[in-house]
Amino acid sequence: MTRRLFVVACLVSAVLTGCTFPSAGADPGPTAPTSSASPGTGNAIAAALRQVRVLGERPEVRGYRRDQFGRAWSDDHSGLGGHNGCDTRNDVLAAQLQAPEYRGKSRCVVIAGTLLTDPYTGKRLEFRKAKASEIQIDHIYPLSRAWDMGASRWPQQRRVDFANDEAMNLIAVDGPANASKGDSGPGEWLPINRNYRCTYALRYLQVAHKWSLPITTADRNSVQAITRLCP
């Protein structure tokens, strides 16, 4: 079922089935300018908005599969961390966790560490390999969304490079928060941690520009609302 059909189904059957929606949504709500965003973030978002193409809505392109973006967390990509002998997931964990611990003599496999402040929830999270799903690696601009917005026409290697864009598009986050985000953009979902919303909006636009992917009108409207609240 597509996300749109799921939302409609929930609206129709909410009373009977008790559908639960994520607590974070596209409405930025009232908040003061945030200290976690760098000074000038609002201006940077406004500038980034001028660099991206806007579509009225996200098209639906059939045929998406995860493996069309290559093997999950492939090291065979041309970006940051590519061909370094470690897979992308472990690269991101090693870079973003404090005091990462490695398996045995491995220089790659992260088995423990601390995410001091989860971007999406604001919580401190402890990573343990035995419960790896509690901290997940999120694509800020999701893969299936990219597929619909133009990546379906890309050559395979470009999709692999996009899926493993450690420099811009990948971030270690709380697992349940990542699940609530799904393949949404900022027009449909925002981090429950308001202190990260300016940075999230900017990075989403930067990824879109870097990879020549459009955003939706809903994305633009939400980001414009966020911009007024950024430093």
Side-chain angles (χ1 to χ4, degrees):
M1 179 182 291
T2 67
R3 183 180 181 87
R4 294 172 190 170
L5 289 177
F6 172 77
V7 172
V8 171
C10 281
L11 289 174
V12 171
S13 61
V15 174
L16 297 177
T17 65
C19 290
T20 302
F21 291 89
S23 56
D27 177 12
T31 184
T34 61
S35 58
S36 63
S38 301
T41 300
N43 289 336
I45 292 173
L49 270 174
R50 294 192 291 270
Q51 295 179 313
V52 296
R53 184 164 56 95
V54 179
L55 298 181
E57 61 181 15
R58 173 182 171 180
E60 293 187 4
V61 179
R62 294 185 179 183
Y64 167 75
R65 299 190 314 274
R66 173 61 179 85
D67 62 9
Q68 287 160 331
F69 287 79
R71 179 175 60 84
W73 311 128
S74 171
D75 187 40
D76 186 19
H77 64 93
S78 62
L80 177 69
H83 306 289
N84 67 355
C86 302
D87 68 75
T88 298
R89 174 180 168 80
N90 280 297
D91 280 345
V92 175
L93 289 173
Q96 298 184 16
L97 297 180
Q98 291 292 312
E101 300 176 19
Y102 297 88
R103 174 184 293 164
K105 296 181 180 179
S106 170
R107 65 182 183 88
C108 290
V109 181
V110 178
I111 61 171
T114 302
L115 190 60
L116 293 181
T117 305
D118 166 45
Y120 288 173
T121 66
K123 298 184 298 185
R124 177 188 174 101
L125 301 177
E126 299 296 330
F127 174 77
R128 297 294 180 268
K129 186 71 172 176
K131 296 183 177 180
S133 64
E134 293 182 2
I135 293 182
Q136 300 177 6
I137 309 302
D138 182 39
H139 293 87
I140 290 179
Y141 197 118
L143 299 186
S144 61
R145 190 177 191 87
W147 175 266
D148 287 349
M149 300 291 261
S152 60
R153 301 187 295 273
W154 292 353
Q156 176 73 6
Q157 188 58 51
R158 181 173 172 83
R159 290 199 290 264
V160 171
D161 291 344
F162 175 80
N164 295 278
D165 181 6
E166 298 177 26
M168 189 72 71
N169 198 27
L170 297 180
I171 186 170
V173 298
D174 174 73
N178 187 36
S180 79
K181 175 176 178 273
D183 64 353
S184 300
E188 302 140 346
W189 183 94
L190 291 170
I192 198 169
N193 176 19
R194 294 178 183 272
N195 287 337
Y196 190 72
R197 288 183 174 182
C198 296
T199 301
Y200 168 74
L202 178 58
R203 288 189 62 173
Y204 181 85
L205 295 174
Q206 289 173 332
V207 174
H209 175 62
K210 176 180 178 179
W211 294 94
S212 299
L213 290 166
I215 66 172
T216 65
T217 299
D219 289 339
R220 181 196 63 195
N221 293 344
S222 179
V223 167
Q224 285 176 332
I226 293 169
T227 304
R228 296 193 296 269
L229 307 172
C230 298

